[in-house]
């Protein structure tokens, strides 16, 4: 899938710079044409001669390489590339990229880049965990960059932790997968809610449900694979995200989920509201554990604010809002009522009466309902159901 693709590989001053050689070889073996750009500090770890030999191109490092008036055009590189990957990316370079400090050829090239950018951090565990680094990575995500999370293991300091640059072969696979998947959501920002909410009764008890988050996480991965930047607002689940274009916000309660979703919605092109949000919450949460010895208790519940209805009422004409309906009876009539009342573009209906559908399953059986049509699908893996749902979403954009 990389045959004929132009890829800029940016290399910074990290001990992991030696891995860039393996990355370049892997990309070239997959058919790509590679141009290396290296920072002055990067040349302390790996020589331009090595990189030039691997790429069959002169290495770009300085703005001016000769005294004859010629210079390297960062603009031309930005137009030439189909993708840019900075591997390794140090904390210093990440900070410069986040704040537009264009004091070397690599950052200047990045700021001129028209193509997707992949960033593979590499640093010691404390540097990676530092709030400044994490904030800079969050900023870069909001710009549309794809962060390739570092791995855990032994670092150059001989400490064990998260900070090792992802292996070059895996980085090449991620880039190849990006081009292998149709990019019909490129440039889109998709908000997704997933998992349950927990409504506190006291410090150790809550009202919740059986949602595992599997459907919402599958939707997030599918949207990211198709080129979207994804904000995933996740209730308390054990699942992990894989794609670097997914920005995850963890919440617990319905109120916290509403706040996070409402904060992300103004910049979103679409919201897919897949979470199993509690309809009711205790009107008062005890500050200490309620003891059995207190005897019979009365728990008063009050309605939570409807996230789908709130966003549906606030959506702009160009935005899309997708809802979910998990029903136990009168499924279609309940779903159509929600579709209209919550101002949804379409709603995904599933029933607990269908074996293999609903909570905790790896499969689902859905019907997609809109004002214009109804599409029924057989039982499928949730990853495949996600494709059907996102195909429908893409069609709504195409019909606009």
């Amino acid at each position: 899938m990389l045959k004929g693709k132009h890829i800029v590989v940016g290399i910074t001053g990290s001990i992991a710079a030696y891995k860039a050689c393996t990355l370049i070889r892997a990309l070239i073996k997959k058919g790509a044409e590679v141009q290396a750009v290296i920072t002055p500090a990067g040349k302390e770890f790996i020589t331009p001669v090595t990189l030039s030999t691997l790429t069959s191109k002169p290495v770009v490092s300085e703005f001016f390489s000769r005294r004859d008036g010629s210079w390297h055009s960062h603009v031309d590189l930005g137009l030439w590339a189909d993708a840019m990957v900075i591997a390794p990316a140090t904390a210093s370079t990440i900070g410069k990229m986040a704040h537009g400090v264009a004091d070397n050829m690599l950052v200047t090239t990045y700021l001129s880049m028209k193509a997707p950018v992949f960033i593979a951090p590499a640093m010691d565990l404390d540097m990676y965990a530092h709030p400044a680094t994490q904030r800079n990575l969050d900023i870069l995500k909001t710009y549309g960059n794809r962060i390739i999370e570092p791995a855990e293991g032994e670092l150059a300091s001989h400490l064990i932790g998260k900070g090792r640059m992802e292996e070059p072969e895996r980085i090449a696979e991620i880039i190849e997968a990006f081009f292998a998947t149709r990019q019909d959501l490129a440039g889109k920002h998709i908000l997704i809610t997933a998992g349950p909410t927990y409504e506190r009764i006291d410090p150790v008890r809550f009202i919740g449900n059986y949602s595992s988050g599997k459907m919402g996480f599958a939707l997030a991965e599918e949207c990211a694979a198709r080129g979207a930047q994804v904000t995933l607002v996740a209730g308390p689940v054990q699942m992990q995200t894989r794609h670097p274009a997914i920005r995850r916000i963890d919440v617990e309660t319905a109120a916290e989920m509403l706040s996070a979703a409402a904060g992300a919605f103004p910049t979103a092109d679409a919201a897919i509201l897949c979470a199993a949000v509690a309809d009711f919450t205790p009107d008062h949460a005890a500050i200490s554990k309620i003891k059995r010895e207190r005897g019979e208790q009365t728990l008063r519940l009050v309605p939570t604010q409807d996230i789908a209805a709130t966003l549906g009422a606030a959506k702009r004409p160009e935005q899309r809002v997708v809802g979910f309906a998990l029903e136990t009876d009168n499924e279609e009539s309940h779903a159509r009522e929600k579709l209209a009342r919550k101002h949804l573009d379409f709603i995904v209906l599933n029933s607990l009466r269908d074996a293999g559908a609903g909570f905790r399953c790896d499969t689902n059986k859905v019907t997609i309902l809109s004002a214009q049509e109804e599409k029924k699908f057989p039982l499928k893996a949730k990853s495949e159901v996600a494709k059907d749902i996102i195909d429908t979403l893409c069609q709504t954009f195409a019909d606009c």
Side-chain angles (χ1 to χ4, degrees):
M1 295 306 301
L2 295 184
K3 185 174 179 59
K5 298 296 183 185
H6 298 162
I7 299 178
V8 172
V9 174
I11 305 161
T12 69
S14 163
I15 188 63
Y18 76 92
K19 293 184 178 180
C21 296
T22 304
L23 173 60
I24 289 169
R25 285 178 59 87
L27 293 171
I28 291 174
K29 283 183 177 181
K30 292 178 182 292
E33 186 177 345
V34 176
Q35 173 65 63
V37 180
I38 191 169
T39 65
K43 291 190 288 186
E44 299 296 324
F45 294 90
I46 186 170
T47 68
V49 171
T50 300
L51 299 172
S52 179
T53 301
L54 291 171
T55 63
S56 301
K57 294 178 181 295
V59 174
V60 175
S61 178
E62 310 297 336
F63 293 108
F64 308 100
S65 57
R66 294 187 293 273
R67 298 288 183 179
D68 59 1
S70 62
W71 61 293
H72 290 123
S73 174
H74 52 88
V75 175
D76 288 347
L77 279 175
L79 295 172
W80 173 81
D82 294 299
M84 180 179 189
V85 54
I86 298 96
T90 60
S92 175
T93 294
I94 287 168
K96 291 178 181 180
M97 292 166 64
H99 298 283
V101 181
D103 65 349
N104 61 48
M105 193 63 188
L106 189 152
V107 179
T108 307
T109 300
Y110 160 73
L111 292 173
S112 302
M113 189 57 52
K114 305 296 184 185
V117 177
F118 299 81
I119 301 168
M123 64 198 74
D124 209 55
L125 73 163
D126 294 322
M127 293 180 69
Y128 181 73
H130 195 281
T133 302
Q134 292 303 309
R135 184 160 54 247
N136 287 333
L137 288 170
D138 286 340
I139 290 171
L140 290 174
K141 288 178 183 178
T142 67
Y143 296 161
N145 300 287
R146 291 161 168 79
I147 310 301
I148 301 174
E149 289 288 327
E152 294 192 17
E154 184 176 0
L155 306 171
S157 63
H158 302 300
L159 297 174
I160 306 296
K162 188 171 185 177
R164 285 175 58 91
M165 188 183 94
E166 181 60 273
E167 292 305 316
E169 295 83 1
R170 175 59 184 150
I171 295 173
E173 289 173 358
I174 289 171
I175 297 172
E176 185 175 41
F178 172 83
F179 287 107
T181 305
R182 51 185 178 155
Q183 299 294 293
D184 42 9
L185 288 180
K188 300 291 188 185
H189 173 205
I190 309 296
L191 164 66
I192 298 173
T193 64
T197 64
Y198 288 174
E199 309 302 318
R200 301 183 191 110
I201 298 172
D202 64 18
V204 299
R205 301 180 181 92
F206 61 87
I207 296 172
N209 57 61
Y210 297 116
S211 175
S212 65
K214 291 178 180 179
M215 190 70 253
F217 276 64
L219 286 163
E221 296 291 347
E222 181 65 19
C223 287
R226 296 197 192 195
Q229 288 296 308
V230 177
T231 298
L232 175 64
V233 182
V237 296
Q238 299 300 314
M239 298 192 67
Q240 300 296 318
T241 58
R242 298 188 303 274
H243 201 287
I246 300 173
R247 172 175 172 258
R248 177 173 175 173
I249 302 173
D250 289 311
V251 298
E252 182 176 274
T253 68
E256 291 169 352
M257 183 169 284
L258 172 62
S259 177
F265 186 61
T267 62
D269 296 284
I272 305 175
L273 305 174
C274 185
V277 184
D279 293 324
F280 297 92
T281 187
D283 69 338
H284 172 73
I287 60 173
S288 58
K289 181 180 177 182
I290 301 172
K291 297 293 187 179
R292 188 199 312 266
E293 289 74 19
R294 289 173 58 179
E296 184 175 312
Q297 301 289 309
T298 298
L299 186 65
R300 182 173 180 269
L301 302 177
V302 295
T304 58
Q305 188 170 345
D306 191 318
I307 297 175
T310 300
L311 300 190
K315 74 172 180 175
R316 301 186 302 273
E318 71 276 12
Q319 289 179 304
R320 303 289 179 265
V321 178
V322 179
F324 274 69
L326 176 61
E327 303 293 342
T328 58
D329 59 89
N330 299 318
E331 289 91 340
E332 186 170 332
S333 62
H334 286 314
R336 288 201 175 276
E337 184 272 331
K338 290 180 181 179
L339 176 70
R341 176 169 54 84
K342 300 184 182 187
H343 306 288
L344 306 175
D345 290 278
F346 64 89
I347 192 165
V348 181
L349 167 65
N350 57 343
S351 173
L352 284 179
R353 294 196 292 180
D354 290 326
F359 293 147
R360 294 180 173 176
C361 298
D362 293 322
T363 54
N364 208 351
K365 181 180 179 182
V366 305
T367 299
I368 296 178
L369 301 169
S370 69
Q372 297 79 28
E373 64 179 338
E374 172 183 318
K375 295 188 288 187
K376 292 183 179 291
F377 297 89
L379 188 71
K380 298 182 180 183
K382 286 184 173 176
S383 59
E384 295 302 312
V385 175
K387 290 182 171 64
D388 294 330
I389 295 169
I390 302 309
D391 284 344
T392 304
L393 176 63
C394 291
Q395 186 58 54
T396 69
F397 286 124
D399 290 342
C400 182

